[in-house]
Amino acid sequence: MKLQFKHQKFQADAAKAVVDVFAGQPYLTTNYRIDNGSGIYQTDMETSFTGWRNEPIVPELNDSIILEHLQKIQRTNQIEPSKQLEGHYNLTIEMETGVGKTYTYIKTMYELNKHYGWSKFIVVVPSVAIREGVYKSFEVTQDHFAEEYGKKIRFFIYNSAQLTEIDRFASDSSINVMIINSQAFNAKGKDARRIYMKLDEFRSRRPIDIIAKTNPILIIDEPQSVEGKQTKERMKEFNPMITLRYSATHRADSIYNMVYRLDAMEAYNKRLVKKIVVKGITESGSTATDGFVYLESINLSKADPTATIQFDCKGKSGLRKVTRTVGLKFNLYDHSGNLDEYKDGYVVKEIDGRDNHIEFLNGVRLFAGDVVGKVDEDQLRRIQIRETILSHLERERQLFHKGIKVLSLFFIDEVDKYKCYDAAGQPYNGIYAEMFEQEYEDIVGQMQLSLGEDDYIRYLKAISAHDTHAGYFSVDKKGHFVNQVAGDDKREKTSNDISAYDLIMKNKELLLDRDPKRSPVRFIFSHSALREGWDNPNVFQICTLKQSSSEVRKRQEVGRGLRLCVNQNGERMDANVLGNDVHNINILTVIASESYDSFAKGLQSELAEAVANRPRKVDAALFVGRVLTDTNGNEQIVDADTAAAIYFDLVQNGYVDRHGALTDKYYADHANHAVQVAEEVADCAASVIDLLDSVYSDKVMLPENARSNNVELKIDPDKLAMPEFKALWNKISPKSVYVVDFDTDELVQKSIRSLNRNLNVSKIYFKVESGEMTEIKSKYSLLDGSAFAKADRHKYDPQTKIHASQSVKYDLIGKLVAETKLTRKAIVQILVGIEKVVFDQFKDNPEEFILKAAALINDEKATAIIQHITYNILDEHYDTDIFTEPTLKGKLGTNVMKVQRHLYDHLIYDSTNERDFAADLDTNRDVAVYVKLPDGFYISTPVGKYNPDWAIAFYEGTVKHIYFVAETKGTLDSMKLNHITPVEQAKIDCARAHFKALNDENVVYDVVSDYQTLLNAVMK
């Protein structure tokens, strides 16, 4: 398998934020003579002593200008502007675990090289674990970035025994990256001191001096684990020109000039990481008896609810734990072999799916996850192991046909609980491995698989309980697993564990392989100290088989499984692939050793701490000084009067309570796309809502209770076979392709008008005196290309040779062609057609001119596309399999309702508007059958896939149009008030064109707000 990588906007935004701080720095590449030292040259050393360094920031780009750039970027990214620069130059980037932090700083290296010619980078990491992970990331992304930038990075791990790499680092003109763990230059050992020593084998030179001469850019990965007092001092010897800090958990006292932030709350809201759900286990004291009972789950369907419980049973060889699915009047005494501990009233009296509880005649009440009776630690661990296996198999069944391998991770604190060795050194199972194999065989033996799961049955049978688990630990010289070896410093706990990482880091792709012969391992046991430095995107379950402690935080534990999963082709299952199904597929289940409430509260507290710099309440001050963007991309900074108007309107609409907290009404209207904002900022509604969403909310950060989703939707075969549904599906299931044929001349004229009216570019204070700038005499020189002639070489400093880039740095036409996908001829016509004063802004700020001009042209292009789009219906149809593929689960009364006319036995709703709409459909006798369409049903559009909400079939003779496809929005008025984005509107317009192409007057598509507007549409 080869992992695939995609271009994601948030990663590009993070790179751009860093690049823009130094806007105005010229593209310069500088060479110098490397100190060649004395002594005999090593035979593999290049004879040339020409070095390449990062050109320092030019004096004209002074601190006040850079601070101004920084503050502008911070305002744009909704970060509190810095009052001063923290050193020369320190920038902080916050990125949540699992979103591709390493990918982001590699992309940033390429962008800094592309814009300014900088090519020397050092990545400092806190441990061997993270070092190996970073090296692996450089390896697997190499081809991806080479395809985008046309060059490859030369990267290596610093090794004090291989010092020729240092000379190559200095002498190579391409992008060079040295990866080094902090212990390699900051520990007390002899190896760590070598970087500061004059070494005979390095021709009596100090390695640190050769590195420092390159003016490297320092990238610190996880600075909170790197930057002790001594390490900070040692890093100064690298002579960094710029220091970039990347982490999800920066220390509050070490945030220097933050330029970009993607924290836990935003990453979750943007569906860039897995959804976290928690399975808790609660020991429930009882005075009734010492009898052991564990309530595993409540099971709901059309039939009466049942409960799955575990209890003691007397057998021929003694007591054993058994698991049974039971109904009302089930008597534990009778089914336990008449054990006395169940004699007193252990008969099931009540099973309630609303709050997931079971009650016995003796008054003992258990909620899902509760355990009562004689319970020791081993029994609790056995329950955790069993619950992990159950969650694993449930997720595996759901994802099997999507080609996604499911992995589970157990954290333990003592290796001998997993693997032991006899006197002869032969391994045998520890207690946890033994428990695992027993529980796995029991669960798989009792599994009731459905028709059509033959492939999954074969997969399970091909893997034994013994082969499907493996341990990843440190290994001693005899090849035996040993406990983690910790250094003197707590931050170095993983630094000695090299052997384990050879297995984990270098076999990541093998672990993702679903072939049972090549890769049978699905369950991984590892040391609890393995909490950073590696993760695998397909970890779906994490179970900590030890007592919780303050040393290993909950957020570190779940961080190992937050990354979005990949399929067997290495393709990441993100919103581009799954649409709204991202959090139906990407779910991380934590099997806790405590109650759900306790774990959730602890995790929520840690997450709240991590997003401490978010605003905690809504008031007028929240908006003052913030940048709002309207639908045309124009920006405005909010003044005090406008801020007061925004806040007053929010209170009037019932969106903010007296404490400044967002209300349930706000979240309901948000879900219904019906949030209303003050008239003064109506055209900036999306920006206002983004600001409101930046306010910290306990509701958003609360992990889900895994046991609360006790309803799994089942398709109703009778509804599927109804002639009305068959007719509906036959009419709406054809697929289509679109063709766009618009008038280029018309687009050119509209783009000229838009640029003249809307293009405003801010000036940068330092203008680069270089060939491409001074040669632009007029816009008409664009026609013959003379505007972009570039000198071969120019002098910047008398002592320094400057080599001009081989490519034109500000090829305005080429850049706009790349951004808009229009022809060079069309772009030239647009640029020649705009007013001189508008065009002259290019010299003030080339990058912003290109960015804004491209956005405005693309807006006009999108409008032209929608106006001239044509859909052609294909012979290919969607199959009804799309209704059976996804597994849909929810909680009755919270987001699930029982229904009669729906294709499924229940309906999951996302908003109160959807709930009310479905309730009206369900009670109307004119409706034959309806279905909330799955994400697998979509229409292709130039602006992305579009998934309508509903398909409805009416009985013939009751309405004019029998078959209806609907998109529900909060209110139709809200659409008129710009609460629907241009992209959403474009998708809706494309959907109209698609359904019009079906050429069937009985099929209607429209946007409706409620059942009444639906009736009005079908009766027309």
Side-chain angles (χ1 to χ4, degrees):
M1 176 195 294
K2 184 176 181 180
L3 294 174
Q4 298 179 32
F5 297 92
K6 300 173 183 173
H7 301 289
Q8 302 200 74
K9 185 178 183 299
F10 70 92
Q11 291 165 334
D13 289 345
K16 185 178 184 299
V18 173
V19 169
D20 286 355
V21 172
F22 306 102
Q25 170 75 8
Y27 183 98
L28 301 169
T29 54
T30 313
N31 61 29
Y32 67 100
R33 184 170 177 79
I34 299 174
D35 176 9
N36 59 4
S38 60
I40 301 169
Y41 299 162
Q42 295 182 21
T43 54
D44 62 343
M45 176 61 198
E46 297 176 13
T47 55
S48 169
F49 290 98
T50 300
W52 299 87
R53 70 183 187 192
N54 291 334
E55 178 66 20
I57 292 165
V58 293
E60 289 87 346
L61 205 57
N62 59 42
D63 283 3
S64 62
I65 292 173
I66 286 182
L67 180 59
E68 229 173 294
H69 289 175
L70 173 67
Q71 290 169 336
K72 181 182 177 183
I73 294 160
Q74 289 170 325
R75 281 193 294 269
T76 301
N77 291 330
Q78 310 299 353
I79 297 168
E80 185 177 348
S82 298
K83 293 180 173 60
Q84 61 187 30
L85 292 177
E86 305 281 352
H88 291 83
Y89 293 93
N90 291 291
L91 301 176
T92 298
I93 299 90
E94 180 179 333
M95 301 201 80
E96 172 61 354
T97 303
V99 300
K101 172 188 63 181
T102 312
Y103 178 103
T104 301
Y105 63 66
I106 296 173
K107 184 175 180 66
T108 303
M109 293 175 190
Y110 273 106
E111 288 292 320
L112 289 170
N113 176 260
K114 173 182 163 185
H115 285 80
Y116 310 128
W118 295 333
S119 62
K120 307 297 178 183
F121 300 90
I122 298 173
V123 179
V124 182
V125 299
S127 67
V128 169
I130 295 179
R131 188 192 74 190
E132 294 297 316
V134 167
Y135 186 84
K136 181 72 174 179
S137 294
F138 273 93
E139 272 187 336
V140 299
T141 58
Q142 200 169 190
D143 291 341
H144 166 76
F145 282 119
E147 189 177 319
E148 181 181 358
Y149 292 98
K151 60 177 73 175
K152 287 188 177 183
I153 287 177
R154 183 184 164 273
F155 56 94
F156 66 99
I157 290 174
Y158 168 79
N159 184 333
S160 62
Q162 296 175 354
L163 297 175
T164 53
E165 291 285 4
I166 303 296
D167 272 320
R168 288 199 186 98
F169 177 79
S171 63
D172 191 86
S173 62
S174 58
I175 306 175
N176 277 255
V177 178
M178 182 174 81
I179 307 165
I180 185 169
N181 50 301
S182 56
Q183 297 82 13
F185 62 86
N186 190 39
K188 297 175 182 177
K190 182 180 177 182
D191 282 347
R193 292 200 304 271
R194 281 173 62 83
I195 198 169
Y196 306 107
M197 295 167 62
K198 286 187 177 181
L199 302 168
D200 290 343
E201 65 269 40
F202 201 53
R203 301 191 300 286
S204 300
R205 299 172 304 167
R206 298 198 318 156
I208 191 71
D209 293 336
I210 303 301
I211 295 168
K213 286 281 188 184
T214 66
N215 296 335
I217 292 173
L218 212 58
I219 291 176
I220 306 177
D221 192 326
E222 306 292 352
Q224 76 282 0
S225 300
V226 169
E227 291 188 310
K229 185 176 180 182
Q230 183 177 329
T231 312
K232 276 187 177 181
E233 289 303 309
R234 287 293 194 188
M235 285 193 294
K236 289 178 183 177
E237 299 195 45
F238 286 108
N239 186 35
M241 184 174 78
I242 299 166
T243 300
L244 307 177
R245 292 172 169 82
Y246 289 81
S247 179
T249 52
H250 292 283
R251 285 204 305 263
D253 60 351
S254 301
I255 297 177
Y256 309 102
N257 300 143
M258 184 176 285
V259 291
Y260 186 81
R261 178 177 63 211
L262 178 67
D263 62 19
M265 188 167 155
E266 187 174 0
Y268 178 79
N269 287 340
K270 290 184 173 178
R271 296 179 295 189
L272 302 174
V273 292
K274 288 192 183 91
K275 177 169 72 174
I276 301 172
V277 303
V278 179
K279 260 189 178 181
I281 297 169
T282 308
E283 293 183 66
S284 180
S286 171
T287 56
T289 176
D290 288 331
F292 166 82
V293 185
Y294 172 59
L295 177 55
E296 196 172 280
S297 64
I298 301 292
N299 316 303
L300 299 180
S301 64
K302 280 196 169 181
D304 291 336
T306 59
T308 302
I309 62 172
Q310 193 178 102
F311 55 94
D312 287 328
C313 183
K314 185 165 64 179
K316 292 179 181 177
S317 57
L319 284 183
R320 61 189 177 90
K321 298 287 188 289
V322 296
T323 303
R324 298 285 183 268
T325 297
V326 306
L328 295 175
K329 300 183 181 178
F330 183 88
N331 190 323
L332 264 67
Y333 179 71
D334 294 343
H335 290 85
S336 66
N338 297 357
L339 286 175
D340 286 343
E341 59 201 70
Y342 300 121
K343 196 171 184 178
D344 183 17
Y346 261 95
V347 178
V348 177
K349 170 189 171 186
E350 181 179 87
I351 301 173
D352 194 332
R354 290 171 299 179
D355 60 0
N356 283 351
H357 84 262
I358 183 173
E359 188 172 342
F360 296 95
L361 285 176
N362 59 13
V364 172
R365 175 180 285 202
L366 298 177
F367 294 87
D370 282 359
V371 57
V372 67
K374 295 176 289 186
V375 186
D376 58 19
E377 183 176 343
D378 284 350
Q379 183 54 37
L380 273 177
R381 302 298 165 242
R382 182 180 286 275
I383 290 172
Q384 282 184 274
I385 289 170
R386 183 179 180 86
E387 289 286 6
T388 304
I389 298 168
L390 286 167
S391 291
H392 178 106
L393 294 174
E394 180 185 5
R395 180 73 48 216
E396 193 170 65
R397 286 173 74 176
Q398 293 169 3
L399 303 184
F400 186 78
H401 292 290
K402 292 184 180 292
I404 298 169
K405 184 172 180 181
V406 173
L407 299 173
S408 294
L409 177 61
F410 293 98
F411 284 129
I412 65 175
D413 50 5
E414 296 290 336
V415 171
D416 60 9
K417 289 180 179 177
Y418 176 71
K419 189 73 71 182
C420 302
Y421 299 89
D422 62 20
Q426 293 301 306
Y428 62 94
N429 279 346
I431 184 172
Y432 290 163
E434 200 64 32
M435 285 178 181
F436 173 84
E437 291 184 12
Q438 291 168 1
E439 294 298 326
Y440 182 86
E441 287 171 350
D442 178 61
I443 293 168
V444 172
Q446 293 186 45
M447 277 183 73
Q448 294 181 349
L449 296 170
S450 307
L451 290 173
E453 292 191 287
D454 296 349
D455 289 344
Y456 183 55
I457 294 169
R458 280 193 291 272
Y459 178 71
L460 285 180
K461 287 182 177 177
I463 305 175
S464 70
H466 177 267
D467 291 340
T468 201
H469 66 91
Y472 290 114
F473 305 97
S474 295
V475 180
D476 65 16
K477 292 178 181 178
K478 297 177 183 177
H480 296 175
F481 288 153
V482 293
N483 283 322
Q484 200 87 354
V485 180
D488 295 331
D489 192 322
K490 286 184 180 180
R491 292 194 302 274
E492 296 177 31
K493 276 197 170 178
T494 57
S495 65
N496 299 312
D497 202 7
I498 297 174
S499 302
Y501 301 110
D502 282 347
L503 291 170
I504 294 172
M505 308 307 298
K506 296 175 183 176
N507 285 335
K508 180 183 278 190
E509 289 87 349
L510 183 62
L511 265 179
L512 292 169
D513 192 328
R514 213 175 58 178
D515 187 308
K517 291 181 180 176
R518 287 196 300 265
S519 181
V521 174
R522 295 136 70 215
F523 298 86
I524 302 158
F525 286 79
S526 191
H527 200 283
S528 56
L530 184 78
R531 64 185 187 269
E532 57 184 18
W534 86 280
D535 52 22
N536 191 297
N538 287 27
V539 169
F540 285 89
Q541 288 73 226
I542 289 180
C543 176
T544 302
L545 295 171
K546 64 183 195 64
Q547 293 293 339
S548 292
S549 67
S550 58
E551 188 176 330
V552 180
R553 293 163 68 83
K554 292 175 172 61
R555 192 166 173 227
Q556 289 172 321
E557 291 173 359
V558 303
R560 300 308 94 220
L562 282 179
R563 203 175 287 271
L564 297 180
C565 67
V566 300
N567 64 13
Q568 289 299 283
N569 298 321
E571 183 180 22
R572 195 166 301 283
M573 298 289 98
D574 57 15
N576 293 324
V577 177
L578 299 173
N580 294 328
D581 257 351
V582 173
H583 278 165
N584 290 332
I585 301 296
N586 288 283
I587 299 172
L588 175 66
T589 303
V590 179
I591 294 83
S593 57
E594 56 194 299
S595 70
Y596 162 75
D597 287 340
S598 173
F599 186 93
K601 185 178 179 182
L603 179 60
Q604 189 180 37
S605 173
E606 290 178 21
L607 290 170
E609 184 184 319
V611 296
N613 50 5
R614 278 183 175 269
R616 285 304 198 262
K617 66 176 185 177
V618 179
D619 54 18
L622 173 68
F623 303 98
V624 175
R626 300 293 186 136
V627 177
L628 300 183
T629 307
D630 66 18
T631 50
N632 293 318
N634 298 313
E635 296 178 348
Q636 71 174 84
I637 297 177
V638 179
D639 60 22
D641 289 344
T642 306
I646 296 171
Y647 176 64
F648 179 77
D649 207 74
L650 292 170
V651 173
Q652 289 291 100
N653 287 327
Y655 293 154
V656 180
D657 66 18
R658 65 175 63 185
H659 304 293
L662 291 167
T663 62
D664 289 341
K665 185 176 188 298
Y666 170 77
Y667 289 110
D669 281 5
H670 196 311
N672 291 330
H673 306 282
V675 174
Q676 297 183 33
V677 299
E679 186 179 344
E680 290 88 336
V681 290
D683 54 347
C684 300
S687 280
V688 174
I689 292 169
D690 283 345
L691 268 174
L692 293 172
D693 288 345
S694 74
V695 177
Y696 174 77
S697 165
D698 283 340
K699 295 174 184 176
V700 174
M701 303 304 288
L702 186 68
E704 249 180 50
N705 187 341
R707 302 182 192 279
S708 67
N709 288 337
N710 52 13
V711 178
E712 182 176 329
L713 270 60
K714 297 282 193 297
I715 200 160
D716 186 336
D718 294 336
K719 298 278 194 334
L720 201 61
M722 283 178 68
E724 289 84 0
F725 180 78
K726 285 184 174 180
L728 166 68
W729 193 242
N730 185 55
K731 288 180 181 294
I732 71 169
S733 62
K735 296 183 179 182
S736 63
V737 292
Y738 62 84
V739 178
V740 179
D741 182 20
F742 57 81
D743 185 336
T744 304
D745 291 338
E746 182 185 344
L747 174 60
V748 166
Q749 293 307 312
K750 287 185 175 179
S751 297
I752 290 169
R753 285 196 292 273
S754 178
L755 291 171
N756 284 337
R757 186 171 58 250
N758 300 314
L759 183 58
N760 294 302
V761 176
S762 56
K763 293 184 179 181
I764 55 176
Y765 295 90
F766 172 61
K767 295 181 183 178
V768 181
E769 295 298 324
S770 59
E772 69 270 21
M773 290 295 184
T774 57
E775 287 297 319
I776 301 177
K777 298 183 175 70
S778 73
K779 65 181 180 179
Y780 299 103
S781 63
L782 284 166
L783 288 171
D784 60 12
S786 62
F788 296 96
K790 186 172 176 71
D792 291 333
R793 183 181 294 174
H794 67 276
K795 291 281 186 180
Y796 171 70
D797 182 301
Q799 306 301 317
T800 309
K801 289 182 181 177
I802 310 295
H803 291 275
S805 168
Q806 297 301 307
S807 62
V808 176
K809 294 320 295 171
Y810 289 115
D811 177 3
L812 176 58
I813 298 174
K815 285 277 191 179
L816 288 176
V817 166
E819 293 291 332
T820 64
K821 304 298 185 289
L822 295 179
T823 64
R824 290 184 73 87
K825 179 182 177 184
I827 292 297
V828 168
Q829 286 177 324
I830 292 170
L831 293 175
V832 169
I834 61 177
E835 296 169 5
K836 183 177 184 301
V837 67
V838 175
F839 180 82
D840 285 347
Q841 293 180 96
F842 173 65
K843 287 187 283 189
D844 294 335
N845 191 334
E847 302 238 348
E848 190 172 321
F849 183 98
I850 291 166
L851 189 71
K852 288 191 170 181
L856 290 168
I857 294 169
N858 278 330
D859 283 347
E860 294 300 326
K861 181 183 169 187
T863 303
I865 284 172
I866 301 309
Q867 289 172 349
H868 298 86
I869 197 165
T870 304
Y871 277 86
N872 297 318
I873 303 301
L874 303 174
D875 292 334
E876 187 182 355
H877 287 240
Y878 282 105
D879 195 277
T880 53
D881 286 352
I882 65 168
F883 297 110
T884 55
E885 273 187 4
T887 300
L888 305 170
K889 297 185 75 173
K891 184 178 181 182
L892 197 63
T894 300
N895 67 336
V896 172
M897 57 191 284
K898 276 193 173 183
V899 281
Q900 302 297 321
R901 301 177 193 274
H902 192 236
L903 191 63
Y904 298 90
D905 57 350
H906 291 79
L907 180 137
I908 296 178
Y909 52 86
D910 299 322
S911 64
T912 54
N913 190 50
E914 283 193 354
R915 180 197 63 197
D916 297 343
F917 185 74
D920 286 335
L921 287 174
D922 216 56
T923 54
N924 193 291
R925 293 180 182 178
D926 295 338
V927 175
V929 61
Y930 69 97
V931 63
K932 189 179 175 192
L933 289 164
D935 283 335
F937 179 88
Y938 63 85
I939 298 161
S940 296
T941 83
V943 288
K945 296 175 180 176
Y946 169 66
N947 169 235
D949 290 334
W950 309 89
I952 306 153
F954 290 87
Y955 285 113
E956 195 166 355
T958 59
V959 295
K960 182 178 179 182
H961 305 289
I962 305 169
Y963 309 110
F964 199 88
V965 180
E967 174 78 20
T968 46
K969 295 293 180 189
T971 65
L972 296 182
D973 285 341
S974 70
M975 291 179 64
K976 296 170 188 173
L977 291 171
N978 293 322
H979 290 293
I980 183 166
T981 67
V983 169
E984 281 184 292
Q985 186 59 57
K987 288 181 177 180
I988 288 169
D989 291 339
C990 287
R992 293 187 199 280
H994 163 85
F995 285 106
K996 184 178 179 182
L998 291 177
N999 201 24
D1000 190 325
E1001 64 176 13
N1002 283 321
V1003 178
V1004 174
Y1005 165 83
D1006 209 345
V1007 180
V1008 298
S1009 58
D1010 53 30
Y1011 185 71
Q1012 188 56 51
T1013 54
L1014 168 69
L1015 277 185
N1016 294 341
V1018 296
M1019 298 300 287
K1020 286 180 182 176

